[in-house]
């Protein structure tokens, strides 16, 4: 019974976090003279109000799900991989580079080739932090933050000096490398939805099986709970640290590949890290690290991002309110101990057991 009650609480915490975040957003809208009902109705309409918006929401959610999975794998193993943005960017760079180098390869060969290279680029970039943590006990937080900026400058250098002649954007990739589909575009009124969504869903299943049904997943979870006990039990802590970061980076790299092959279909000079990395971390936290929870929270964040664009047009509510709502949801997820405390008190009151 206690186990069932704990599972119910694990489900209710993210749900209540979303509800409280929406309530706080409504309060802020009221405080500044906006109509929260009109604002949220505009947001919903802009997220799922037509097949086009549904397609855009699904497209927006795709890289978020993959970067969130990457963060969740590392977090389960006890590491805070704040470098998923840089790893995603490296995957983006790798996939677009291959697509531009071999534009005439058959689609059935070129797309898997680009996906594998994108994942490998992310894995290598995260593996640097993993090796340093495993053998020198360096902070993965500090190392991955520095690697984020390194990835950004390498990416911009590649665009301006390797892939183009001093241009700010590469040419578009060939049709043979694109994840977009005429079929998906036709059923979503010419949205930019692409087959990357299927890859994201497949990775949710793969990660769940890996973490819950394999020896590797058991060892990663054990290292996350207690690395010293895991070492005593015969597990290689160093190996699992590196593996956790490599797998995390590979998933994040796939997230960046979705942007390169599906969304933008090129690479361009950036002034800051792509938002899919940090938004993906928020998606992972809201999904409580569970792959299927991440799938749902990724769709929610995709809807908030796409629907927020319509809010100023339909209700005059600034789109920044959506960022406030997202930040509020993350805050309440971080303060889950408070939500759990309140739920425990409510249960005690209902049972008449308050001391």
């Amino acid at each position: 019974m206690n186990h069932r009650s704990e599972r119910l609480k694990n489900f209710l915490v993210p749900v209540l976090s979303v509800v409280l975040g929406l309530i706080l957003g409504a309060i802020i809208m009221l405080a500044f003279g906006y109509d929260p009902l009109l604002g949220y109705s505009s947001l919903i309409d802009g997220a799922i109000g037509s097949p086009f918006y549904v397609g855009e929401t699904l497209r927006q959610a795709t890289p978020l799900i993959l970067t969130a999975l990457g963060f969740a794998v590392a977090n389960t193993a006890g590491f805070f991989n704040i470098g998923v943005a840089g790893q995603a960017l490296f995957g983006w760079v790798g996939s677009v580079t291959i697509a531009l180098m071999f534009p005439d390869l058959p689609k059935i060969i070129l797309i898997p080739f680009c996906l594998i290279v994108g994942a490998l680029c992310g894995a290598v970039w995260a593996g640097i932090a993993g090796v340093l943590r495993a053998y020198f006990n360096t902070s993965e937080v500090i190392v991955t933050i520095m690697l984020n900026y390194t990835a950004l400058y390498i990416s911009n250098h590649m665009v301006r000096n390797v892939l183009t002649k001093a241009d700010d954007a590469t040419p578009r990739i060939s049709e043979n490398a694109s994840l977009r589909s005429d079929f998906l575009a036709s059923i979503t009124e010419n949205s930019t939805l692409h087959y990357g969504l299927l890859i994201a869903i497949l990775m949710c299943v793969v990660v769940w099986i890996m973490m819950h049904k394999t020896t590797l997943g058991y060892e990663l979870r054990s290292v996350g709970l207690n690395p010293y006990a895991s070492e005593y039990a015969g597990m290689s802590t160093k190996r699992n640290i590196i593996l956790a970061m490599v797998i995390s980076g590979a998933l994040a790299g796939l997230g960046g590949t979705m942007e390169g092959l599906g969304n933008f279909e090129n690479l361009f000079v950036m002034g800051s890290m792509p938002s899919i990395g940090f938004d993906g971390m928020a998606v992972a936290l809201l999904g409580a690290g569970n792959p299927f929870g991440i799938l749902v929270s990724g769709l929610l964040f995709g809807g908030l991002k796409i629907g927020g664009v319509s809010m100023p047009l339909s209700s005059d509510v600034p789109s920044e309110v959506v960022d406030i709502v997202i930040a509020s949801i993350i805050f309440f997820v971080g303060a889950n101990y408070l939500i759990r405390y309140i739920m425990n008190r409510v249960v005690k009151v209902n049972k008449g057991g308050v001391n």
Side-chain angles (χ1 to χ4, degrees):
M1 188 68 180
N2 290 335
H3 181 64
R4 183 179 299 176
S5 176
E6 187 62 27
R7 291 181 64 182
L8 179 61
K9 289 177 184 176
N10 291 338
F11 171 77
L12 287 176
V13 166
V15 172
L16 289 174
S17 298
V18 172
V19 171
L20 292 171
L22 292 172
I23 291 173
L24 183 57
I27 293 173
I28 291 173
M29 279 188 261
L30 283 172
F32 286 92
Y34 299 109
D35 184 352
L37 292 178
L38 181 59
Y40 282 140
S41 64
S42 299
L43 187 149
I44 293 172
D45 186 61
I48 57 174
S50 71
F52 173 81
Y53 290 130
V54 170
E56 289 300 306
T57 293
L58 294 175
R59 188 267 306 160
Q60 181 72 27
T62 298
L64 297 181
I65 292 169
L66 289 165
T67 53
L69 288 172
F71 178 81
V73 168
N75 197 45
T76 301
F79 311 112
F80 199 83
N81 181 11
I82 203 171
V84 286
Q87 293 145 27
L89 181 55
F90 235 56
W92 188 343
V93 172
S95 62
V96 170
T97 299
I98 294 299
L100 294 175
M101 287 176 62
F102 306 102
D104 298 324
L105 281 178
K107 196 178 186 91
I108 196 172
I109 296 175
L110 185 55
I111 288 181
F113 190 15
C114 292
L115 292 173
I116 291 170
V117 170
L120 285 175
C121 287
V124 169
W125 208 241
I128 296 172
V131 170
L132 292 175
R133 173 60 187 267
Y135 289 97
F136 302 99
N137 200 31
T138 57
S139 169
E140 74 277 5
V141 174
I142 295 174
V143 172
T144 51
I145 288 175
M146 293 190 295
L147 288 174
N148 275 347
Y149 289 101
T150 307
L152 177 62
Y153 297 133
I154 290 176
S155 171
N156 290 344
H157 173 79
M158 289 285 293
V159 172
R160 286 188 170 134
N161 300 286
V162 179
L163 301 177
T164 71
K165 295 181 179 180
D167 291 331
D168 286 341
T170 68
R172 291 175 66 90
I173 61 175
S174 68
E175 178 64 27
N176 290 348
S178 176
L179 288 170
R180 292 194 189 180
S181 157
D182 292 337
F183 169 72
L184 294 178
S186 66
I187 64 175
T188 57
E189 298 179 349
N190 294 317
S191 77
T192 54
L193 177 63
H194 52 80
Y195 284 127
L197 177 65
L198 301 180
I199 297 173
I201 295 173
L202 175 62
M203 286 299 104
C204 286
V205 176
V206 170
V207 170
W208 186 87
I209 293 174
M210 180 189 72
M211 296 304 293
H212 296 278
K213 300 296 181 180
T214 67
T215 302
L216 172 61
Y218 175 78
E219 290 190 4
L220 293 180
R221 287 185 285 118
S222 299
V223 169
L225 292 171
N226 192 323
Y228 302 106
S230 301
E231 189 77 34
Y232 183 77
M235 302 176 192
S236 173
T237 303
K238 289 184 174 61
R239 180 178 68 88
N240 283 298
I241 288 173
I242 296 172
L243 276 176
M245 291 299 291
V246 165
I247 295 170
S248 175
L251 290 165
L254 275 179
T257 300
M258 298 301 105
E259 297 288 77
L261 304 184
N263 186 11
F264 296 100
E265 294 189 315
N266 72 340
L267 180 66
F268 47 86
V269 172
M270 302 181 196
S272 60
M273 299 303 301
S275 62
I276 57 171
F278 299 107
D279 289 340
M281 292 166 60
V283 168
L285 294 174
L286 180 60
N290 182 288
F292 300 113
I294 286 172
L295 178 62
V296 174
S297 60
L299 294 173
L300 172 65
F301 270 61
L304 289 172
K305 290 285 186 179
I306 295 299
V309 177
S310 300
M311 289 178 67
L313 304 176
S314 304
S315 62
D316 291 330
V317 177
S319 59
E320 287 78 9
V321 170
V322 174
D323 294 326
I324 294 174
V325 171
I326 292 175
S328 302
I329 292 172
I330 298 170
F331 169 79
F332 288 116
V333 170
N336 66 83
Y337 63 91
L338 180 60
I339 297 176
R340 289 177 183 273
Y341 174 78
I342 294 173
M343 286 194 294
N344 289 334
R345 298 295 293 179
V346 170
V347 170
K348 286 185 178 180
V349 168
N350 290 335
K351 290 183 178 180
V354 178
N355 295 325

